[in-house]
Amino acid sequence: MDFTPSSYPGSLHHIAHNLIAFEYIAPASPRRSSDSINTLVFVGGLFDGLFTVAYTKTLAASLPPAWRFVQPLPSSSHHGWGTSSLDQDVEQIVQCIRYILTLRPQGKIVLMGHSTGSQDTMHYLLSPLQEEQSPRPFLAGAIMQGGVSDREAFPMLLPEEVYQSSVQVALDYVAEGHGEKVLPAQILGQFFPEVAISARRWLSLMSPPPAHNGQDDYFSSDFGDERLKGTFGRIGATGTPVQILYSEKDQYVPEFVHKEELVERWERVIREGGGDCG
């Protein structure tokens, strides 16, 4: 893909010791009261960082005057995903949103996830609060763009023997109580040379059988309605309307997945649970 160097007008927010976020502000943006500004918070996927998703600048520049585009840079960005988790992502997304609300207490917040960021969006809505955590800020909307199953995608990228051996080693590490131990470079180093991947995170993404209970496993196409009722079917209870934007030509979706039918199933389960999906 051709790349043209560019710069982006806006503000860099230092939210916490290890958390920043960039707010895109178009040069021609009219001055408005902070109370009248709403925010689209964008979270990318594996390997992503600020504006690495191709459409983000166009999206940021196309928002109505009353909206701003903010992209946090969580610890899982770039090569950090291998030892991170959805729990950690959500904790940092919450920090970002709470910070924005101190600046714009009357503004609406919409959370948009791209690829693995869609898993973050689902996790924000559905995962239980940890002990002593206060309720997460309400989202006026949630958008999941390009949410795909890592369990179904990675076997297309890895040789069968590498996939099987990596999962087995990860299972052994976890069984021995070493879930945070990094998988040997001999197994995955050829494919992810700059990423340290813990056994816990690898199993979260690969979600091996029979339970398929990986934390990241929200979007697999083989889940039946009962499994979906425990995820998509619970969105209605949050009161947040959602929008599912599935990529027509996503290279990480196997050919056996019928994209339109899958999205229709998700949307049906959302509506049956009392949710609004556009």
Side-chain angles (χ1 to χ4, degrees):
M1 178 183 295
D2 293 335
F3 177 78
T4 302
S6 56
S7 60
Y8 300 87
S11 296
L12 185 68
H13 300 275
H14 195 171
I15 297 168
H17 175 69
N18 61 344
L19 179 62
I20 63 171
F22 184 81
E23 177 180 2
Y24 179 91
I25 303 175
S29 293
R31 296 194 172 207
R32 307 178 66 92
S33 165
S34 61
D35 287 345
S36 65
I37 296 176
N38 306 309
T39 307
L40 176 67
V41 177
F42 180 87
V43 181
L46 302 187
F47 293 104
D48 281 326
L50 296 178
F51 290 97
T52 56
V53 178
Y55 63 74
T56 45
K57 183 177 182 180
T58 301
L59 173 63
S62 302
L63 292 178
W67 286 83
R68 293 282 174 79
F69 177 96
V70 172
Q71 184 177 3
L73 194 69
S75 301
S76 60
S77 301
H78 298 294
H79 299 129
W81 59 266
T83 54
S84 187
S85 68
L86 297 187
D87 286 338
Q88 183 176 358
D89 284 353
V90 168
E91 182 178 345
Q92 293 182 320
I93 293 168
V94 167
Q95 283 183 286
C96 177
I97 291 175
R98 286 191 174 135
Y99 168 81
I100 293 169
L101 290 173
T102 65
L103 306 177
R104 306 158 190 164
Q106 305 304 317
K108 297 177 181 179
I109 302 288
V110 171
L111 177 61
M112 179 176 181
H114 161 75
S115 189
T116 308
S118 296
Q119 288 147 225
D120 287 328
T121 303
M122 288 285 282
H123 212 63
Y124 185 104
L125 292 172
L126 301 177
S127 63
L129 296 172
Q130 303 300 311
E131 187 176 354
E132 298 183 356
Q133 283 186 332
S134 56
R136 295 167 191 143
F138 175 74
L139 299 177
I143 302 169
M144 291 170 275
Q145 188 278 314
V148 301
S149 166
D150 293 291
R151 168 162 66 86
E152 294 175 340
F154 272 89
M156 297 192 300
L157 307 175
L158 301 173
E160 174 69 15
E161 63 274 13
V162 173
Y163 172 78
Q164 294 294 346
S165 63
S166 66
V167 168
Q168 188 57 58
V169 170
L171 287 169
D172 292 343
Y173 281 3
V174 170
E176 296 165 0
H178 303 300
E180 299 308 314
K181 188 174 180 179
V182 172
L183 298 179
Q186 305 93 289
I187 298 179
L188 292 173
Q190 176 183 351
F191 305 95
F192 306 108
E194 298 179 335
V195 183
I197 306 174
S198 70
R200 170 196 48 77
R201 187 64 198 272
W202 192 240
L203 294 181
S204 177
L205 293 164
M206 297 304 100
S207 192
H212 294 309
N213 59 359
Q215 187 181 72
D216 281 84
D217 200 356
Y218 282 107
F219 301 114
S220 291
S221 64
D222 57 359
F223 287 148
D225 280 7
E226 286 305 309
R227 176 70 176 254
L228 296 179
K229 287 177 183 177
T231 54
F232 289 91
R234 294 170 45 222
I235 289 176
T238 69
T240 294
V242 300
Q243 184 81 53
I244 300 172
L245 304 176
Y246 209 90
S247 300
E248 180 183 4
K249 298 180 180 180
D250 197 315
Q251 69 269 37
Y252 299 116
V253 178
E255 291 184 0
F256 62 77
V257 175
H258 300 284
K259 301 180 182 70
E260 292 184 5
E261 293 179 10
L262 183 60
V263 173
E264 288 173 359
R265 286 182 60 218
W266 292 341
E267 291 180 341
R268 173 177 57 79
V269 173
I270 291 171
R271 292 191 179 99
E272 289 174 352
D276 178 2
C277 53

